Amino acid sequence: ALATGQPQGPVTIGLPGPDGEVSWSVYNAKPLRDETGKVRAAIVTFIDVTAKRRTSEALRESRAQLEAIVASTPGIIFTATPDGVLTYVNRTLDDVVDPGTDVTGQRIYDWTNEEDHPRIRACFARVCEEHVTADYESAGLAGVDDNHYMTRIGPILRDGELVGVIGVVAVITERKKTELERERLAAELHEARRLEALARLAGGVAPDFNTMLTVIMGHATRLDE
């Protein structure tokens, strides 16, 4: 301000105190002129912003930590509008979506099969209306994705008002295969037991049937005589 004759600032400057803690202030400097217009001094004002700066730094650290946790989570985390438009996705599956592709702005229904839409809409409606969490199972998009998913969604509330939906998606492809294999084996076991029961029934009836045949054959022989 003294050198240029122009007001300077605002500039944030940190000054260490006797205890080593840095205090932060926003400084402004304004030149003071005498009656001839020559700069003779400068007046400096400052506002202590230490508490605000520390709060901002704490928020940044918390945000960075949260983003690191979300980014490293094995599941897929997303936020969406109540009608299913994606507003955030922490990651996508590389074998389904090209790496680096931004899917925000797209609809959840664009990535799910039409037969799953009624179930998903009902789940979204319950979460948005009742402010509860709910689950739905869905298959990957036909012709694109061979996986199966379990999705849990819940409301995002601000001052008691719904502002969006958050969801966590788990890939359950292997579990689904195991369940289908278990169902197939159960069906085969049921059929085997049914056939076994029929065989036992047939085995129990056969002696009586043979006895009847013997009697019939005996009478038939007598008639021939």
Side-chain angles (χ1 to χ4, degrees):
L2 293 172
T4 64
Q6 300 296 323
Q8 303 296 313
V11 177
T12 302
I13 300 174
L15 298 176
D19 58 357
E21 291 289 335
V22 176
S23 296
W24 295 90
S25 297
V26 176
Y27 290 83
N28 288 273
K30 182 178 180 180
L32 296 178
R33 302 176 186 273
D34 60 17
E35 62 276 5
T36 65
K38 187 175 182 180
V39 176
R40 293 296 185 181
I43 183 170
V44 179
T45 60
F46 66 90
I47 300 174
D48 190 335
V49 294
T50 303
K52 181 179 180 180
R53 186 181 180 92
R54 288 174 180 170
T55 300
S56 297
E57 289 176 351
L59 288 174
R60 280 196 296 270
E61 290 176 0
S62 296
R63 183 185 294 272
Q65 184 178 19
L66 179 60
E67 289 177 350
I69 292 173
V70 170
S72 61
T73 299
I76 299 172
I77 298 176
F78 69 86
T79 59
T81 63
D83 57 352
V85 177
L86 295 168
T87 55
Y88 169 81
V89 179
N90 68 325
R91 70 185 187 91
T92 56
L93 299 180
D94 292 343
D95 58 343
V96 178
V97 181
D98 292 335
T101 300
D102 185 7
V103 297
T104 57
Q106 300 184 35
R107 300 166 66 251
I108 287 176
Y109 304 104
D110 296 333
W111 291 95
T112 51
N113 297 303
E114 189 171 350
E115 56 265 30
D116 293 328
H117 291 178
R119 183 168 58 255
I120 298 173
R121 287 195 175 92
C123 192
F124 264 73
R126 184 185 174 201
V127 168
C128 294
E129 293 171 5
E130 302 178 20
H131 295 179
V132 296
T133 58
D135 302 334
Y136 66 83
E137 186 177 324
S138 60
L141 192 62
V144 177
D145 184 3
D146 295 329
N147 292 306
H148 283 80
Y149 302 94
M150 177 63 72
T151 302
R152 169 164 290 186
I153 61 175
I156 301 175
L157 303 175
R158 186 174 300 153
D159 298 328
E161 296 294 327
L162 181 77
V163 296
V165 173
I166 184 169
V168 179
V169 184
V171 180
I172 60 169
T173 307
E174 293 304 318
R175 191 181 84 184
K176 193 69 176 178
K177 289 180 180 178
T178 301
E179 290 176 355
L180 293 175
E181 180 65 13
R182 188 183 297 116
E183 291 175 0
R184 185 185 67 80
L185 292 175
E188 290 182 355
L189 178 61
H190 176 74
E191 180 66 13
R193 288 176 175 173
R194 188 182 70 84
L195 294 176
E196 181 183 5
L198 288 174
R200 288 179 179 178
L201 178 62
V205 171
D208 295 335
F209 189 68
N210 287 335
T211 300
M212 292 175 63
L213 285 178
T214 301
V215 173
I216 292 172
M217 292 298 295
H219 285 294
T221 301
R222 290 180 181 178
L223 288 174
D224 290 340
E225 293 175 353

